[in-house]
Amino acid sequence: INTHFINDSGDEEPTTQSDRSEGIQGTLKTLISKLDDLGTCNDLIAKHGAALQRSLSELEALRVPVEGGEKVKGVNERATLFRITSNAMINACRDFLDLAETHSRRWQRALQYEREQRIHLEETIEQLAKQHNSLERAWREAPTLSANTPSSSIQMDTITPHLSFKGEASDEDEDTEYFDAMEESPAFITVTATENTQHRSVYPSCNDSGKELQPLRRRRSHIPDKPNYSLNLWSIMKNCIGKELSKIPMPVNFNEPLSMLQRLTEDLEYHELLDKAARCESSLEQLCLVAAFSVSSYSTTVHRTAKPFNPLLGETYELDRLEDFGYRSLCEQVSHHPPAASHHVISQRGWTLWQEITIASKFRGKYLSIMPLGAIHLQFHSSGNHYVWRKVTSTVHNIIVGKLWIDQSGDIEIVNHRTKETCQLKFSPYSYFSREVPRKVTGVVSDSGGQAHYILSGTWDDKIESSKIVQSSKGGSGSEGKQKTVYQTLSPKLLWKKYPLPDNAENMYFFSSLALTLNEPEDGVGLTDSRLRPDQRLMEAGRWDEANSEKQRLEEKQRAVRRRREAEATDGFQPQWFHKRTNAITGETNFVYKGGYWEAKDSQDWNMCTEIF
């Protein structure tokens, strides 16, 4: 599996463990041979040096003329210097020889230990596979027990989400780790002001309408429980070795019954934050709410370790909540290699959001890094404030062994390109050694001159609060020698709080209330809508065997369409509802909504849509 991800990024084939062992063995043999040669030369120098000294001593003892005696004496002195120098070199060579022999034995032991560890690991994995097969057979042979006993089988639908992503090259360092890092001291310290200096409202300029958000249509609040299907992971892993994973049909056991387009739409779960932000007169207070909205999109990921369905090329998803909450959302899969989706939302309550997200991922052995690439744009109609930010890296830990868990880490910079105000958010990676609360998020909202006005704090899976700064001063240096800023703030005010999960969520893929409604059948949607995808619909109904067959059919149909398009030498796939444009702010060229979808829905004219299902 690791080989697949390296190959997809365009790098050379990785060397195997046996190749590395043979290389080390060859190096050691060459070094030993050279050491033997050095020892032989050492012996020869000592032997010939002693013979030369004897010959010169005998020559000096002979009776020769005075002039000849002087010559012999000079030669003898030079020979003595040569002997001293040779002895020094001999001693240095002897020390090097002893040291090299010692290290050679140490390398041999280390190599032998690594070889034994590798063999032990292979035997352990094989033993685990055999035990897993035995447990499956025992489970099938005891149906009465299985009906009354809680499931103890491995949750195989959540063990390998990495199999759906292409290993794109990234700018990240190969040695980057997202856990067990030493605690990093914060760059600032906050001190809450006394009660008599506090304001009653942190956002007096954000006029709240006071109306509760209540949907006009009653939508579903549950889906069929997730079946308890077992899956032999070892048999799938064996099929993956040395093969292109994109050509191996992966079962739906690894999925949840939603597409990536629907997961992208889940960012709108807390859309009321943007409704409130649109009513703000202060752009700094508005920025605080935008920052809370950017964090809220991660709240649904804490338990969602199963992967969504990869959308087919040209697949769309609409979420029409115009009558309920005043917005309409449309997503379309605009590229397959690399996978990219475009998203456009327009609200009657004063804002428009759009983004194009490409997923790059890298499998690093014990964890998987998922890097969403692309900018998110948000514009408020009345003020013209235009905000741009990007998503952080998601990390899925314990890919091979252990219970899967997800962490978010990195920095987000939200920029208001009209006023140049910024918000710096930091998602702290989980650390076993840290005393900080897990999943911590901190941030500072600053004006165009860099002066801080608000402090944001909280966690990405629970809540975000903001505190207005009333005074700031430079504090002392920290342990790393950096000078910290001390902010005196008012009491924190709640910006965002996560909604509780529905009852029985653990048996419904840990879906939120919004996620439960995303795949609910609706009349009048486009012919390419994800709700109409048959394999996803069958999986939601618990008919996983039929879903697997349907999934293979759809994937093969998509490949046939691509081969036919390549044979006809056309310009390639062109999205139906989005077209490429260069953004004046970021300078990036990406797909943006060109219009026409909602007009087609109103007239129910879908003749322009291709048949992809």
Side-chain angles (χ1 to χ4, degrees):
I1 296 176
N2 200 6
T3 302
H4 160 75
F5 280 95
I6 295 175
N7 289 345
D8 271 358
S9 62
D11 296 336
E12 296 181 359
E13 283 282 338
T15 56
T16 62
Q17 182 72 23
S18 60
D19 292 339
R20 290 194 295 269
S21 300
E22 292 174 1
I24 295 175
Q25 288 279 18
T27 302
L28 290 175
K29 289 179 181 178
T30 303
L31 180 59
I32 292 171
S33 174
K34 295 298 180 183
L35 289 175
D36 291 340
D37 294 343
L38 188 59
T40 302
C41 293
N42 183 10
D43 295 339
L44 289 174
I45 288 176
K47 176 181 176 183
H48 292 309
L52 176 61
Q53 194 66 43
R54 286 195 303 271
S55 298
L56 289 173
S57 298
E58 292 170 358
L59 182 61
E60 191 175 3
L62 294 176
R63 292 181 178 179
V64 295
V66 176
E67 184 179 352
E70 293 293 332
K71 293 287 186 182
V72 171
K73 187 176 180 180
V75 172
N76 196 10
E77 289 175 353
R78 289 187 176 87
T80 301
L81 291 173
F82 175 75
R83 185 193 65 197
I84 294 172
T85 306
S86 297
N87 286 337
M89 189 193 76
I90 288 170
N91 292 333
C93 289
R94 185 180 295 112
D95 293 340
F96 172 75
L97 180 62
D98 294 340
L99 186 63
E101 287 177 346
T102 302
H103 280 286
S104 176
R105 289 192 295 271
R106 187 178 302 167
W107 290 343
Q108 288 280 11
R109 289 195 299 270
L111 182 63
Q112 181 63 26
Y113 175 77
E114 291 294 332
R115 185 185 294 111
E116 291 173 356
Q117 288 293 100
R118 179 170 58 86
I119 294 173
H120 177 68
L121 180 60
E122 291 175 351
E123 292 174 350
T124 302
I125 292 177
E126 184 177 358
Q127 186 73 14
L128 281 172
K130 291 179 180 178
Q131 291 177 0
H132 187 265
N133 287 332
S134 300
L135 286 172
E136 280 187 342
R137 287 195 298 270
W139 185 267
R140 294 192 188 100
E141 291 169 2
T144 56
L145 289 176
S146 65
N148 301 317
T149 306
S151 171
S152 61
S153 62
I154 301 176
Q155 295 295 321
M156 304 307 301
D157 59 316
T158 64
I159 200 164
T160 50
H162 63 278
L163 297 179
S164 68
F165 297 105
K166 301 281 285 183
E168 304 295 336
S170 76
D171 295 332
E172 280 198 301
D173 194 298
E174 289 293 332
D175 297 328
T176 302
E177 294 286 340
Y178 296 100
F179 53 93
D180 292 350
M182 295 306 294
E183 182 177 357
E184 186 176 322
S185 59
F188 56 86
I189 302 171
T190 59
V191 178
T192 305
T194 56
E195 287 294 327
N196 55 3
T197 63
Q198 295 178 20
H199 294 182
R200 290 185 175 272
S201 173
V202 71
Y203 296 137
S205 74
C206 300
N207 300 319
D208 202 328
S209 64
K211 295 181 179 178
E212 293 256 345
L213 295 175
Q214 295 293 340
L216 298 179
R217 170 185 165 184
R218 185 176 180 84
R219 301 185 184 276
R220 67 181 186 181
S221 58
H222 68 276
I223 59 174
D225 285 1
K226 178 181 175 182
N228 184 25
Y229 282 160
S230 62
L231 185 66
N232 192 331
L233 175 64
W234 181 249
S235 63
I236 294 178
M237 292 178 68
K238 288 190 296 184
N239 291 334
C240 295
I241 297 175
K243 294 184 179 181
E244 178 76 21
L245 283 182
S246 62
K247 297 181 180 178
I248 298 175
M250 298 309 300
V252 299
N253 305 57
F254 298 128
N255 292 57
E256 62 180 18
L258 289 178
S259 76
M260 189 63 199
L261 302 181
Q262 291 164 314
R263 283 291 292 267
L264 195 60
T265 306
E266 278 191 73
D267 287 358
L268 301 173
E269 178 137 17
Y270 299 93
H271 59 88
E272 64 270 15
L273 291 171
L274 300 184
D275 296 342
K276 185 175 182 180
R279 298 190 296 269
C280 282
E281 297 175 4
S282 167
S283 57
L284 289 171
E285 296 171 2
Q286 185 180 77
L287 181 51
C288 290
L289 290 166
V290 172
F293 173 79
S294 70
V295 175
S296 70
S297 62
Y298 298 98
S299 63
T300 62
T301 65
V302 63
H303 300 297
R304 302 272 289 279
T305 51
K307 76 177 191 66
F309 278 77
N310 289 333
L312 302 175
L313 191 61
E315 185 174 334
T316 60
Y317 180 75
E318 68 156 75
L319 187 66
D320 191 347
R321 295 291 190 266
L322 190 64
E323 296 181 355
D324 298 289
F325 304 123
Y327 71 85
R328 279 176 158 178
S329 167
L330 176 67
C331 294
E332 182 176 8
Q333 186 77 358
V334 296
S335 173
H336 195 62
H337 294 293
S342 289
H343 184 202
H344 182 270
V345 191
I346 186 167
S347 172
Q348 290 182 340
R349 299 180 182 176
W351 53 269
T352 300
L353 181 144
W354 67 96
Q355 59 181 322
E356 181 188 324
I357 297 297
T358 301
I359 298 296
S361 62
K362 208 162 237 188
F363 180 51
R364 302 176 187 273
K366 49 189 175 181
Y367 63 93
L368 173 74
S369 297
I370 304 171
M371 292 79 69
L373 309 177
I376 304 172
H377 294 258
L378 172 65
Q379 188 167 24
F380 290 98
H381 303 163
S382 59
S383 63
N385 289 335
H386 188 154
Y387 298 91
V388 179
W389 71 93
R390 300 173 189 273
K391 290 180 176 288
V392 296
T393 297
S394 300
T395 308
V396 185
H397 295 277
N398 294 341
I399 291 292
I400 300 300
V401 178
K403 182 179 179 180
L404 287 180
W405 60 278
I406 292 179
D407 195 20
Q408 315 289 347
S409 60
D411 298 326
I412 293 179
E413 181 183 42
I414 306 176
V415 180
N416 183 344
H417 284 274
R418 190 183 72 84
T419 64
K420 307 304 179 186
E421 295 162 346
T422 62
C423 174
Q424 303 288 341
L425 289 173
K426 179 176 180 59
F427 287 66
S428 300
Y430 174 78
S431 171
Y432 179 79
F433 303 101
S434 176
R435 297 185 299 270
E436 296 285 356
V437 62
R439 309 182 185 98
K440 181 180 179 181
V441 179
T442 55
V444 179
V445 175
S446 307
D447 60 22
S448 58
Q451 181 179 353
H453 289 264
Y454 290 94
I455 296 295
L456 304 181
S457 60
T459 58
W460 52 263
D461 68 325
D462 184 25
K463 64 179 181 180
I464 290 292
E465 296 176 330
S466 95
S467 303
K468 184 175 178 60
I469 298 172
V470 294
Q471 188 177 353
S472 64
S473 60
K474 294 294 183 182
S477 298
S479 58
E480 300 177 356
K482 298 179 181 178
Q483 191 176 34
K484 296 183 178 180
T485 302
V486 179
Y487 293 119
Q488 186 181 26
T489 67
L490 303 180
S491 292
K493 303 295 181 180
L494 184 66
L495 293 179
W496 160 75
K497 175 73 175 174
K498 181 186 175 182
Y499 298 143
L501 289 176
D503 294 337
N504 197 37
E506 65 276 8
N507 294 320
M508 297 187 295
Y509 311 90
F510 287 99
F511 281 179
S512 65
S513 297
L514 174 64
L516 288 173
T517 68
L518 292 179
N519 207 43
E520 185 177 8
E522 294 212 11
D523 297 331
V525 298
L527 302 181
T528 54
D529 196 89
S530 298
R531 298 177 181 87
L532 305 177
R533 182 166 172 164
D535 54 349
Q536 188 173 302
R537 181 62 62 191
L538 288 167
M539 182 195 177
E540 183 185 274
R543 298 155 61 183
W544 283 17
D545 291 337
E546 297 173 65
N548 279 320
S549 301
E550 194 63 27
K551 185 172 181 290
Q552 292 184 35
R553 182 189 69 81
L554 290 174
E555 290 171 350
E556 185 52 45
K557 180 178 181 179
Q558 182 172 238
R559 295 189 192 104
V561 171
R562 185 178 67 248
R563 289 192 295 266
R564 184 168 63 252
R565 189 182 297 119
E566 292 172 353
E568 295 173 355
T570 59
D571 294 336
F573 172 78
Q574 297 298 325
Q576 184 64 47
W577 311 109
F578 291 80
H579 57 180
K580 275 192 174 183
R581 290 293 183 269
T582 300
N583 188 272
I585 293 177
T586 63
E588 297 176 347
T589 300
N590 43 39
F591 287 93
V592 296
Y593 181 57
K594 65 180 180 182
Y597 180 88
W598 304 109
E599 292 79 5
K601 181 182 180 180
D602 292 339
S603 62
Q604 282 300 295
D605 180 11
W606 303 112
N607 292 326
M608 73 294 292
C609 294
T610 56
E611 176 58 51
I612 62 173
F613 300 138

